[in-house]
Amino acid sequence: MSLDADYLVERQRLKRRLLLWRIVALVIIGGVALSTFTDIKNITGGDHIARLNVSGILVDDLDREQALDELKSDAEVLALIVRIDSPGGTVVGGEDLFRQLRRISAKKPVVAVFGNLGTSGAYMTALGADRIFAREGSITGSIGVILQSADVTGLLEKLGVKSISVKSSPLKAQPNPLESFSKDARKVTEALIQDLYSMFVDIVAKRRDMEPARARALADGRVFTGRQGVKVGLIDAIGGEEEARVWLSDVRKIGLTVPVRDVRTSKEKKIWRFLLEGIFGKTLFSERLTLDGPISLWHPGL
């Protein structure tokens, strides 16, 4: 009788394991099927408005660049709506997207629409559009550049640890947490940040048709609501995608019935990563780990 009971218990365990693996297999098959369906949907052809979703931390992205380059020369793409919900990111990330949008704008209309956030490098991105919409409660602005480091030499000294480095010149690897920030290094670093900042301000002045002094006054790092942004000239109008469609219809004569299709900027995530993110969230793959060097980013918790 004992052997029969053990057999039944083991059989139940085996059934549960098989059920678990069947569920996992169904999830994987469903993901592949969804991906295939999306691919088919995106290649059906016909005139349409492309929609690019820009979210999270902005960095240089080759897949996105290739997708936008193809979109630029696609005669069936009548316009591009860029939905932005981002605090910014690296300076190059924002600049790269800005210049990509300007190249597209030379051939077809581009409209930017802010969600919760459109600050720093994300605002630089939006400047590549022909028109910028924001919600009344959207947060924008934070025009500026920052480079952050730390000086832990005092802490190391208390711990009895001395950092040793052999460098080709005193300014190599400065700023560096393991060395004191010298006056010469600070001067060079400040010049670097100011040059990047001037580039940002020049873009604002040119794209928003402002006097350089006016653009610099608004580029002191402060943030604005969407309503404030309209008043100071950083935003064109209050609205979302619906208002963007109306503008495209009224000004660029692209009908309201023209379908909108999302731009696929990269290959589908690997199944293992998709499953892990579903279980553990994105904390396993922090976007901030990709940030290095000068950044244009706004986040109260940074």
Side-chain angles (χ1 to χ4, degrees):
M1 292 295 293
S2 177
L3 289 175
D4 289 341
D6 291 342
Y7 172 77
L8 290 174
V9 170
E10 186 61 31
R11 187 176 178 83
Q12 290 296 325
R13 288 176 179 170
L14 180 59
K15 286 182 177 180
R16 285 195 294 270
R17 291 186 190 130
L18 288 173
L19 177 61
L20 175 62
W21 282 110
R22 284 171 182 166
I23 292 173
V24 171
L26 286 173
V27 169
I28 294 174
I29 293 172
V32 172
L34 179 61
S35 172
T36 303
F37 172 77
T38 305
D39 287 337
I40 293 173
K41 182 179 178 182
N42 284 341
I43 61 175
T44 52
D47 290 346
H48 64 280
I49 297 171
R51 180 199 291 126
L52 175 67
N53 292 293
V54 177
S55 62
I57 305 299
L58 299 184
V59 294
D60 195 18
D61 187 329
L62 181 59
D63 289 327
R64 181 186 63 211
E65 184 175 339
Q66 291 175 340
L68 291 178
D69 190 55
E70 293 173 4
L71 180 152
K72 177 183 63 177
S73 56
D74 188 342
E76 293 183 340
V77 177
L78 304 183
L80 173 63
I81 293 176
V82 186
R83 294 182 64 101
I84 299 174
D85 197 342
S86 166
T90 65
V91 174
V92 169
E95 179 193 359
D96 184 55
L97 252 177
F98 162 76
R99 301 202 183 281
Q100 288 172 30
L101 297 187
R102 292 309 303 143
R103 286 193 289 268
I104 294 172
S105 178
K107 295 190 173 184
K108 56 198 72 182
V110 179
V111 185
V113 178
F114 286 151
N116 293 311
L117 281 177
T119 53
S120 297
Y123 181 71
M124 182 190 292
T125 292
L127 290 171
D130 301 305
R131 193 164 180 83
I132 304 175
F133 288 89
R135 300 295 187 182
E136 291 188 356
S138 298
I139 302 299
T140 188
S142 186
I143 300 169
V145 181
I146 183 173
L147 189 151
Q148 291 180 312
S149 185
D151 184 347
V152 299
T153 54
L155 175 61
L156 293 179
E157 185 177 348
K158 291 180 180 179
L159 295 175
V161 178
K162 185 175 181 179
S163 173
I164 299 175
S165 60
V166 178
K167 302 192 295 183
S168 57
S169 61
L171 295 181
K172 180 66 177 174
Q174 281 279 359
N176 182 346
L178 301 182
E179 299 179 29
S180 296
F181 199 21
S182 68
K183 290 183 179 179
D184 288 341
R186 176 176 287 278
K187 184 178 180 180
V188 169
T189 303
E190 287 176 349
L192 173 111
I193 295 301
Q194 284 301 315
D195 188 58
L196 292 172
Y197 171 69
S198 294
M199 176 196 72
F200 199 164
V201 173
D202 289 344
I203 292 174
V204 174
K206 182 177 180 180
R207 294 297 301 148
R208 300 309 299 172
D209 194 22
M210 292 181 180
E211 291 294 327
R214 171 62 174 166
R216 190 168 289 271
L218 295 174
D220 60 359
R222 79 181 75 180
V223 293
F224 303 88
T225 65
R227 298 200 319 166
Q228 292 173 326
V230 171
K231 290 180 180 178
V232 299
L234 296 178
I235 304 296
D236 289 302
I238 296 298
E241 186 168 318
E242 182 178 352
E243 287 74 17
R245 291 296 309 270
V246 170
W247 182 82
L248 286 171
S249 175
D250 293 344
V251 179
R252 298 303 183 95
K253 309 307 177 185
I254 300 174
L256 295 173
T257 59
V258 176
V260 178
R261 296 181 192 163
D262 286 324
V263 177
R264 300 278 305 278
T265 60
S266 62
K267 295 178 181 178
E268 292 295 316
K269 292 178 181 178
K270 293 182 178 180
I271 291 297
W272 64 268
R273 177 165 176 155
F274 172 79
L275 292 174
L276 284 176
E277 283 190 354
I279 296 171
F280 299 107
K282 291 187 177 181
T283 52
L284 283 176
F285 307 98
S286 175
E287 291 174 299
R288 297 195 184 192
L289 294 178
T290 63
L291 292 179
D292 192 14
I295 60 176
S296 186
L297 177 73
W298 180 81
H299 199 292
L302 183 63

